[in-house]
Amino acid sequence: MKIPFSYSIRNLWARRLTTVLTVSGMALVVFVFAAVLMLAEGLQKTLVQTGSYDNVVIIRKAAESEVQSGVERLQASIVETQPEIAMDEDGKRLVAKELVVLIALPKRGTDNPSNIVIRGIEEKSMGLRPQVRLMRGRMPKPGSSEIITGLSIAKRFEGGGIGESLRFGMRDWTVVGIFDAGNTGFNSEIWGDVNQLMQSFRRPVFSSVIFRLSNPADFDRVKQRLDNDPQLTIEALRETRYYEKQSEMMAKFLRILGITLTVIFSLGAVIGAMITMYAAVANRTAEIGTMRAIGFSRRSILAAFIVESLFLGFIGGVVGLFFASFLQLYTISTMNFQTFSELAFSFSLTFGIMYKAMAFALAMGFTGGVLPAVRASRMNIVESLRAS
Amino acid sequence: MHILKLILKNSFRHKLRTSLTVLGVTIAILSFGLLRTVISAWYAGVEASSASRLVTRNAISLIFPLPLSYKEKVRQIEGVKAVSYGTWFGGIYIDEKNFFANYAVEPKTYLAMYPEIIVPHDQMADVLRDRKAAVAGQKLAKRFGWKIGDMVTLRGTIFPGNWDFNLKAIYQGRDETVDETAFFFHWDYLNETLKQTAPGRADQVGWYMVEISNPRQSAEVSARIDTMFRNSLAETLTETEKAFQLSFISMTEAIVIAIQLVSFVIIFIIMAVVANTMAMTARERIGEYAVFKTLGFGAFHISGLIFGESIAITMTGACLGIALTFPVAGIFARQLSNFFPVFIVETETIYLQLAASVLVALVAAVLPTWRAVNIRIADGLRRIG
């Protein structure tokens, strides 16, 4: 014999203020929980999509990032001649020797400078990164002081828009194009001709060499050959692995932050739900006694109360997720501790996160409701009928 | 007096509910305090900076060095008392996880600029005698169990190779706001090695530390330094040490703002929990309030009862939370010492916790009070549960 579902729902309706308060507490917790997951997911997306699996990044041994690395011209030329490098349609090798340095640029509307990656590119740099497309304007002419900027630089940094100009390395550089790199880290970069940039920054060495493998499975062979070459002091990494390593610290930070916040917050929300459910049980002692007397079993009373608190959690979850979904409009820009440079990523909501957040909300409801429900189902019929 | 007694008795009528609420408030106020402490730990470097120190670095960005030859030029500028220089070494001790700041500096002049870093005299003399010598902070030495005389090897990331140092001194901070996790060694050691391995990178420094005779003149002196090197191959950017530290924080501003927001969200959540408790309390006692009204007590007394109860419950939790903040922050400080070298609960944090809990107590009591005061006597007496 089951107690109808509507009984539980109408109970929540009977004490509207309490229900609203409990639900809003839970919704806030779910909101924070989802927000942290969305951030971690957004970061992951940005970094994973930045690299492609069949690209190889060459940096100096022991360097942690392209910024710290230096690959001399001779060594870069040796890397360029590896037989495993893929060819483009025009029969040229898909390889680019690049320079990566940081410059401090102020954000629009503030004078807070951030460290921006500026990348010296060669002809094939664009082809090596299929996720990057030129959105507006044109590519910089080789041998000129022209640059193109990533979408988020164009939007958020002083002098990053098309037709504007930036001053660094004792020259003025005109922005002739804006590129969109989707969700990737390249969106926070500025690109210009590698030889011009090397001149103006007075850096006689490249930072990295990037090439595409004609067969992705050849990676180990190339790596071994480069490692064993006594002329070279470099290491080869798959591009995906390289970008993953770049953000390990940030990802760990978000994880720690997420776990601690979620634990603390959910404690608060569970306590809120418990208070609500205990009160619901205490207020309805006579009601419960009546139901038992009519012949409802202990189990169905337990179920009715658990359904009630699950429903609280469910509403909380829905409301929290509803507000969290608006976070997708925001982009977070911060400094990546490891590369010391600007990194922009946005909140990204996936079905996986929705399931997790809903499961979490229901779990909170269940945890808050289980003890009061047990208490309700264990009541002695005669005594509870007496109570009023 | 009777009113107080009644409030206290009322507060603990529902032992389970009250203790749950108190527990919730304790957790919330505790975590609020910890989050605020994280934020102040973030700003620790700014707080510890001195107004009489300027930092001169390459205008392009911090990763570009400055020539060593600038040192004498800066020293001659009016208003400059002393100049020293340093380079971010970025070495790794065994594993990346063991991150700590390590700098190549000119130890004599550099440490003289930091009166808050205290190195025993005899140890300092040893450091100056040995070119491979290094100075480590007390916390850092404790973390890895280093003793004076130990050899410490760092793996270079910016400057390739394995670098051996002899730990000759351990410094202490003048007070607890000083970072005791840094590692200093001779810039000469780095430079001499570079002259052999990468001559193009030798005789370059990461930044100059400039001590000025009059802290009020920092803007003028900064401008003088930057004007001197304008249009040179390495233009400079000079700012006070505080501004320099703040520029790092502004880069990670998003995170700081997020933590601040979260600390307010937790207050909102607990507000909902306490308001919920108060709403139930008032709902149960509507009959009693009606009796009070019948006896001639006014709205003032009834709201006093409800507000008093709300304050009593919240404050019990808040006091517990504040009391727990110190030991828990101590545990955090030990666990997170490589992220936050300085992790101290500030007095301001305690005031904020108190203010937050008073706010929670007052806001939580508003709606139930309004309901209790406005109910008609007959309805109140008739109403059940």
Side-chain angles (χ1 to χ4, degrees):
Chain A
M1 187 64 198
K2 274 234 172 66
I3 297 174
F5 187 62
S6 61
Y7 169 79
S8 305
I9 310 292
R10 286 177 55 189
N11 268 321
L12 292 176
W13 188 245
R15 296 174 192 74
R16 282 185 287 273
L17 177 63
T18 292
T19 303
V20 166
L21 287 170
T22 315
V23 164
S24 53
M26 285 187 156
L28 272 174
V29 177
V30 172
F31 175 80
V32 171
F33 178 77
V36 173
L37 284 182
M38 283 160 75
L39 257 190
E41 180 71 24
L43 177 70
Q44 197 61 22
K45 253 195 180 147
T46 296
L47 288 145
V48 166
Q49 293 181 356
T50 305
S52 29
Y53 185 73
D54 44 8
N55 280 3
V56 179
V57 180
I58 304 285
I59 50 176
R60 196 197 59 222
K61 260 203 179 73
E64 304 276 299
S65 63
E66 287 174 297
V67 173
Q68 291 178 353
S69 150
V71 179
E72 282 157 26
R73 284 177 185 271
L74 169 72
Q75 301 198 11
S77 310
I78 296 174
V79 172
E80 270 187 312
T81 58
Q82 298 301 316
E84 286 85 359
I85 298 179
M87 298 276 185
D88 212 351
E89 299 90 30
D90 54 8
K92 286 187 181 156
R93 290 165 165 269
L94 267 169
V95 57
K97 307 189 291 284
E98 297 185 341
L99 168 81
V100 175
V101 293
L102 299 176
I103 57 169
L105 278 187
K107 288 189 179 168
R108 284 188 200 277
T110 63
D111 48 6
N112 291 342
S114 278
N115 288 331
I116 303 299
V117 167
I118 176 150
R119 186 181 292 274
I121 55 163
E122 286 191 316
E123 187 194 358
K124 292 294 175 204
S125 290
M126 208 76 170
L128 280 164
R129 302 181 174 93
Q131 65 276 55
V132 181
R133 339 171 261 107
L134 198 62
M135 243 177 59
R136 291 219 302 279
R138 53 179 176 82
M139 291 298 284
K141 286 201 190 83
S144 67
S145 298
E146 291 178 348
I147 48 175
I148 51 175
T149 56
L151 196 58
S152 66
I153 299 285
K155 261 198 268 191
R156 291 184 330 203
F157 284 87
E158 204 62 60
I162 204 159
E164 296 183 88
S165 74
L166 290 169
R167 185 172 174 79
F168 50 82
M170 293 176 70
R171 279 200 225 170
D172 284 310
W173 304 74
T174 321
V175 180
V176 295
I178 292 174
F179 61 88
D180 178 13
N183 256 332
T184 67
F186 297 122
N187 257 350
S188 317
E189 293 187 359
I190 297 175
W191 291 7
D193 177 37
V194 65
N195 290 312
Q196 292 302 311
L197 288 167
M198 275 165 102
Q199 290 276 334
S200 70
F201 289 127
R202 284 167 198 78
R203 280 181 85 117
V205 293
F206 295 106
S207 302
S208 57
V209 183
I210 319 280
F211 61 81
R212 165 116 14 112
L213 292 163
S214 47
N215 173 6
D218 283 341
F219 175 73
D220 292 326
R221 195 155 37 133
V222 181
K223 185 177 168 63
Q224 187 136 27
R225 188 173 324 118
L226 294 173
D227 281 349
N228 293 341
D229 191 330
Q231 304 174 76
L232 302 178
T233 51
I234 54 168
E235 71 181 306
L237 289 160
R238 277 196 194 274
E239 206 177 22
T240 37
R241 177 77 197 115
Y242 170 79
Y243 282 107
E244 213 175 295
K245 269 175 76 172
Q246 297 291 292
S247 71
E248 267 166 1
M249 221 161 141
M250 195 68 160
K252 188 179 165 190
F253 177 80
L254 283 180
R255 235 192 346 262
I256 294 177
L257 190 73
I259 292 170
T260 21
L261 290 183
T262 309
V263 167
I264 294 172
F265 280 31
S266 54
L267 276 177
V270 165
I271 287 174
M274 254 184 178
I275 292 173
T276 307
M277 292 312 296
Y278 266 123
V281 174
N283 285 331
R284 281 186 277 166
T285 311
E287 232 171 88
I288 296 166
T290 315
M291 284 196 287
R292 290 291 317 280
I294 293 170
F296 284 107
S297 67
R298 287 187 173 201
R299 192 172 301 170
S300 41
I301 292 190
L302 181 75
F305 277 93
I306 287 192
V307 162
E308 201 169 310
S309 60
L310 281 178
F311 197 72
L312 275 177
F314 176 76
I315 306 175
V318 171
V319 175
L321 272 177
F322 173 76
F323 284 108
S325 62
F326 288 103
L327 283 175
Q328 292 178 97
L329 306 172
Y330 287 94
T331 301
I332 294 275
S333 87
T334 180
M335 185 174 73
N336 185 348
F337 316 116
Q338 267 167 299
T339 56
F340 200 57
S341 57
E342 173 79 8
L343 173 71
F345 52 98
S346 38
F347 291 90
S348 109
L349 187 60
T350 60
F351 275 109
I353 293 177
M354 282 188 181
Y355 290 139
K356 273 187 196 153
M358 268 336 274
F360 178 66
L362 292 175
M364 277 196 304
F366 182 80
T367 325
V370 73
L371 286 176
V374 168
R375 174 186 271 196
S377 66
R378 284 212 180 148
M379 277 185 182
N380 176 310
I381 301 182
V382 179
E383 278 179 13
S384 50
L385 279 172
R386 251 190 228 131
S388 68
Chain B
M1 203 54 236
H2 283 299
I3 287 275
L4 276 185
K5 210 168 171 179
L6 183 62
I7 287 175
L8 279 179
K9 275 227 153 78
N10 263 345
S11 303
F12 290 94
R13 242 154 84 169
H14 248 284
K15 285 196 182 54
L16 179 70
R17 184 164 69 210
T18 304
S19 37
L20 279 176
T21 314
V22 166
L23 177 68
V25 174
T26 306
I27 293 172
I29 293 295
L30 169 64
S31 37
F32 177 75
L34 287 175
L35 288 170
R36 303 300 315 183
T37 309
V38 167
I39 295 172
S40 47
W42 216 277
Y43 282 92
V46 179
E47 293 301 318
S49 40
S50 139
S52 63
R53 292 194 290 256
L54 304 179
V55 179
T56 299
R57 53 180 164 134
N58 193 308
I60 302 173
S61 79
L62 202 56
I63 67 158
F64 287 90
L66 292 168
L68 183 64
S69 56
Y70 283 14
K71 184 186 169 199
E72 289 308 311
K73 290 183 179 162
V74 173
R75 217 163 53 90
Q76 292 160 7
I77 287 173
E78 192 191 335
V80 173
K81 195 165 134 194
V83 182
S84 187
Y85 48 87
T87 297
W88 175 262
F89 182 67
I92 292 174
Y93 180 65
I94 301 174
D95 190 82
E96 275 175 60
K97 282 203 301 284
N98 301 332
F99 171 85
F100 55 85
N102 37 72
Y103 310 94
V105 299
E106 203 292 293
K108 196 172 179 171
T109 49
Y110 202 88
L111 294 177
M113 269 189 209
Y114 284 85
E116 61 265 41
I117 291 181
I118 297 164
V119 185
H121 275 292
D122 51 327
Q123 293 181 9
M124 194 66 210
D126 285 345
V127 170
L128 296 178
R129 266 199 296 273
D130 178 2
R131 280 196 141 182
K132 280 192 165 185
V135 184
Q138 175 175 244
K139 277 187 190 160
L140 185 68
K142 202 150 81 185
R143 186 170 147 203
F144 299 117
W146 296 339
K147 306 254 175 321
I148 293 203
D150 283 2
M151 184 152 97
V152 175
T153 305
L154 297 186
R155 180 160 52 87
T157 54
I158 305 170
F159 306 98
N162 282 335
W163 303 70
D164 296 334
F165 303 102
N166 304 322
L167 188 65
K168 291 284 184 186
I170 290 179
Y171 76 82
Q172 290 188 349
R174 191 173 47 192
D175 50 45
E176 54 180 7
T177 59
V178 179
D179 175 2
E180 291 179 334
T181 65
F183 184 92
F184 301 97
F185 61 89
H186 284 270
W187 179 84
D188 280 343
Y189 174 28
L190 173 69
N191 202 41
E192 294 302 319
T193 315
L194 283 179
K195 274 181 183 166
Q196 290 157 18
T197 55
R201 298 176 74 188
D203 291 336
Q204 308 262 14
V205 305
W207 65 87
Y208 286 99
M209 281 307 263
V210 181
E211 193 173 359
I212 47 180
S213 27
N214 180 357
R216 278 194 295 278
Q217 285 191 332
S218 59
E220 293 96 315
V221 178
S222 305
R224 277 183 215 136
I225 296 175
D226 290 346
T227 322
M228 177 173 254
F229 301 113
R230 181 145 313 143
N231 289 329
S232 68
L233 290 185
E235 294 188 325
T236 60
L237 171 69
T238 307
E239 52 195 358
T240 58
E241 194 186 9
K242 203 180 209 90
F244 176 74
Q245 296 281 6
L246 268 173
S247 71
F248 284 104
I249 291 176
S250 74
M251 288 179 197
T252 54
E253 200 173 28
I255 297 175
V256 178
I257 290 174
I259 295 180
Q260 270 172 329
L261 279 178
V262 163
S263 70
F264 293 128
V265 167
I266 201 155
I267 294 297
F268 273 112
I269 293 180
I270 204 62
M271 219 177 248
V273 171
V274 178
N276 195 358
T277 302
M278 290 320 295
M280 288 177 197
T281 309
R283 196 185 307 124
E284 284 166 13
R285 301 194 193 143
I286 282 288
E288 291 173 33
Y289 298 138
V291 172
F292 268 111
K293 281 187 176 178
T294 321
L295 294 173
F297 286 101
F300 172 76
H301 270 94
I302 292 173
S303 35
L305 275 180
I306 301 178
F307 271 97
E309 196 171 328
S310 180
I311 288 173
I313 293 177
T314 314
M315 281 304 151
T316 312
C319 291
L320 278 173
I322 292 173
L324 281 174
T325 305
F326 292 94
V328 177
I331 295 168
F332 265 68
R334 275 195 295 281
Q335 296 295 335
L336 300 176
S337 69
N338 48 339
F339 287 105
F340 302 115
V342 179
F343 196 83
I344 325 164
V345 184
E346 290 177 354
T347 353
E348 193 192 349
T349 307
I350 306 290
Y351 288 138
L352 273 172
Q353 284 175 309
L354 279 174
S357 44
V358 169
L359 184 75
V360 167
L362 296 182
V363 172
V366 169
L367 257 181
T369 306
W370 185 82
R371 284 185 162 191
V373 168
N374 283 329
I375 196 146
R376 297 221 310 277
I377 294 182
D379 290 344
L381 287 172
R382 198 182 302 142
R383 193 158 144 183
I384 298 165

